[in-house]
Amino acid sequence: MRLPFDISKIEGFDWDEGNIEKNKIKHNVSKKESEEVFLNEPLRFFDDEVHSKKEKRYGVLGKTNKRRRLVIFFTIRKNKIRVISVRNQGKQDRKIYEEIERQFKQESEVK
């Protein structure tokens, strides 16, 4: 899968305190859970064209260490991931992610 940015240049996370609080209150997702998603496979990155007016934004479907399925919207600033919004995957997101997990499992079994 081709990523919409060069992941090898990512140096960590750049957190906005307001976004940490907003995501915790609105969606009950912690900063730690958000970061876990980027460290677990499989991941499905996509462009967030709707919210990319001022700066390029992306989305990712993934899961936490406890297998909670999340969708995260973020941007890249100075080679760091800046999470803007994170929430549980909706019905359509889950359908897509379940297929990605099936494909990932099949590919892993072949290796």
Side-chain angles (χ1 to χ4, degrees):
M1 164 183 36
R2 183 184 159 114
L3 298 178
F5 55 90
D6 187 351
I7 199 157
S8 69
K9 294 183 180 180
I10 299 299
E11 300 171 352
F13 292 86
D14 173 26
W15 284 98
D16 174 78
E17 292 300 319
N19 285 343
I20 293 171
E21 187 174 339
K22 174 190 74 171
N23 290 318
K24 185 65 178 169
I25 292 169
K26 194 171 180 181
H27 302 292
N28 196 30
V29 181
S30 70
K31 172 182 163 182
K32 180 179 178 289
E33 285 180 299
S34 299
E35 291 179 359
E36 287 174 0
V37 167
F38 290 90
L39 303 174
N40 291 315
E41 291 184 318
L43 292 172
R44 175 58 145 340
F45 290 95
F46 56 92
D47 289 326
D48 181 9
E49 298 293 335
V50 173
H51 298 103
S52 290
K53 305 299 182 223
K54 291 184 181 179
E55 65 184 340
K56 187 69 177 159
R57 291 194 180 178
Y58 308 97
V60 64
L61 297 174
K63 62 186 172 191
T64 68
N65 292 349
K66 292 184 178 178
R67 302 191 53 80
R68 182 178 181 188
R69 294 176 178 170
L70 299 174
V71 60
I72 299 177
F73 294 92
F74 65 99
T75 192
I76 306 293
R77 290 190 186 164
K78 298 181 183 175
N79 293 331
K80 292 189 177 178
I81 294 170
R82 186 172 179 91
V83 174
I84 296 159
S85 178
V86 56
R87 60 171 168 73
N88 289 323
Q89 292 179 8
K91 187 177 179 179
Q92 283 297 101
D93 299 326
R94 284 192 308 273
K95 185 176 177 182
I96 292 167
Y97 193 71
E98 286 168 2
E99 180 58 30
I100 293 164
E101 283 186 307
R102 274 192 288 281
Q103 290 173 2
F104 183 77
K105 185 177 178 183
Q106 288 173 346
E107 290 171 8
S108 297
E109 290 171 352
V110 171
K111 292 179 183 177

